[in-house]
Amino acid sequence: QVQLVESGGGSVQAGGSLRLSCAASGRILGLNTVDWHRQAPGQQRELVAAITRDGTTNYADSVKGRFTVSVDNAKNTVYLQMNSLKPEDTSIYYCSTEFLLDDGSTWFGGGQGTWVTVSS
């Protein structure tokens, strides 16, 4: 029905940048909402950023001014641009999506997670 592929993680030095992608394919009419979360080993899951269908965005205080969430509706892909990365950003990042399908139903799904490692 819908396939979701998350990519873009990796290792960078502090101050560097990475862009995460969450690409969906299938019978998609449009995006409703997307959340980006992160969870480091032994820590609670944290909401990092979110974007809704009307373009409203929300960011955790810890990433404001450094991270940007965006959507390419033509590609059904959501991005998380991460700049000025800090060692404390090291975590597994997950996207959680809600898409509107062409039959009028709603599909919920999450990415498999991608590691981001920031070295000092």
Side-chain angles (χ1 to χ4, degrees):
Q1 195 176 23
V2 177
Q3 289 187 323
L4 197 64
V5 178
E6 190 175 339
S7 61
S11 298
V12 295
Q13 290 191 324
S17 298
L18 285 173
R19 189 177 76 162
L20 306 183
S21 299
C22 194
S25 60
R27 297 165 36 238
I28 295 168
L29 193 61
L31 173 75
N32 281 346
T33 63
V34 172
D35 297 334
W36 286 97
H37 294 83
R38 65 186 180 188
Q39 186 170 21
Q43 299 201 10
Q44 288 189 331
R45 195 159 180 159
E46 175 189 19
L47 177 63
V48 174
I51 187 167
T52 60
R53 187 171 188 171
D54 65 0
T56 301
T57 56
N58 186 36
Y59 297 96
D61 288 342
S62 58
V63 306
K64 278 181 182 176
R66 300 188 298 121
F67 290 13
T68 303
V69 59
S70 62
V71 178
D72 184 334
N73 288 303
K75 296 181 179 180
N76 291 324
T77 300
V78 184
Y79 303 98
L80 183 66
Q81 178 67 43
M82 305 184 295
N83 299 328
S84 302
L85 283 162
K86 303 176 181 180
E88 51 264 42
D89 294 319
T90 295
S91 191
I92 303 173
Y93 286 72
Y94 302 88
C95 62
S96 298
T97 64
E98 177 185 322
F99 283 100
L100 181 64
L101 303 186
D102 58 7
D103 63 359
S105 64
T106 302
W107 182 86
F108 298 89
Q112 75 276 16
T114 186
W115 261 108
V116 171
T117 303
V118 185
S119 57
S120 57

